[in-house]
Amino acid sequence: MPSRLLGIFGGTFDPVHIGHLRLAEEAREQLALPEVRWIPAGQPPHRAGPSVAPAHRLALVRAAVADNPAFSVDSAEVDSAAPSYTVTTLERLRILEGDRPLVLLLGADAFLGFTRWHRWRDIVALAHLAVLTRPGVQFDPARVAAGEGMHADAELADLIAERRLDPAERASLEARPAGSLLFVPMAPLAVSATDIRARLREGRSVRYLLPPSVIDYIAANGLYRPE
């Protein structure tokens, strides 16, 4: 029976780069996701506005993923005038997708702040969480609660203890639409959108950091101009 899993990958993508692409591809492969849906944020509510307009960031993502049939792009957050909250996006997708299992892809740094997200408990009820980590990184509940190198977070520790799946249990993501937590090790690829924006502003090369289609779009539309 074909997999029904739907990977959800959100972010500002300012700009989208090879690190994003490689992360989504590794998650697709390791979790056997038939589809990863990219959702560029329109108006992120908790950070300074992105460097370029939402419509341009959406176009950059579309250009970057066009050659991968497993990747699709959802423009709803960009099209909306409302702030981009993950929980409202998942509520919309739950209506559209019914009981299809949704797998929200999160970086490890984002996960460490997860219990400060808007209505985070509802997110767990709407989707599985796949936390993408560097090899060797461990998320032991006791260590998270103790706050080793971070603020102690008992709620996050409880979430890990209660929801965590063993890697051998990945197939069980298909059994229900939401509610599980899985840690997925990723190959380290130190590419930063902040560094790329700085390179573009300084007129330096970003070849091999961005897909050629993204470089072409940036040049054609005068984005991230040199200072």
Side-chain angles (χ1 to χ4, degrees), residues 172-192:
S172 68
L173 293 175
E174 296 270 6
R176 54 181 182 154
S180 296
L181 167 65
L182 189 68
F183 292 100
V184 184
M186 297 278 115
L189 192 60
V191 182
S192 159

Side-chain angles (χ1 to χ4, degrees), residues 113-128:
F114 181 69
T115 57
R116 296 187 291 276
W117 288 26
H118 180 57
R119 294 172 52 200
W120 68 269
R121 289 183 177 86
D122 291 334
I123 294 175
V124 180
L126 290 162
H128 301 299

Side-chain angles (χ1 to χ4, degrees), residues 2-116:
S3 172
R4 299 176 62 233
L5 297 175
L6 174 60
I8 306 298
F9 189 30
T12 53
F13 304 122
D14 184 29
V16 61
H17 53 66
I18 62 167
H20 296 129
L21 291 162
R22 186 61 211 170
L23 184 149
E25 178 66 4
E26 285 202 44
R28 182 202 64 75
E29 183 176 52
Q30 292 197 46
L31 298 174
L33 302 172
E35 179 185 354
V36 175
R37 191 168 299 174
W38 295 59
I39 308 182
Q43 301 180 52
H46 299 307
R47 55 178 290 178
S51 301
V52 301
H56 282 309
R57 291 184 290 105
L58 175 65
L60 289 171
V61 171
R62 283 179 167 154
V65 308
D67 63 350
N68 190 327
F71 290 167
S72 62
V73 181
D74 183 324
S75 67
E77 288 192 9
V78 168
D79 295 338
S80 173
S84 300
Y85 287 106
T86 299
V87 67
T88 54
T89 290
L90 291 174
E91 287 174 333
R92 174 179 60 82
L93 291 175
R94 181 55 65 206
I95 293 170
L96 292 173
E97 301 293 340
D99 65 355
R100 184 178 184 183
L102 305 179
V103 183
L104 180 65
L105 308 180
L106 296 175
D109 290 343
F111 179 68
L112 288 173
F114 181 69
T115 57
R116 296 187 291 276

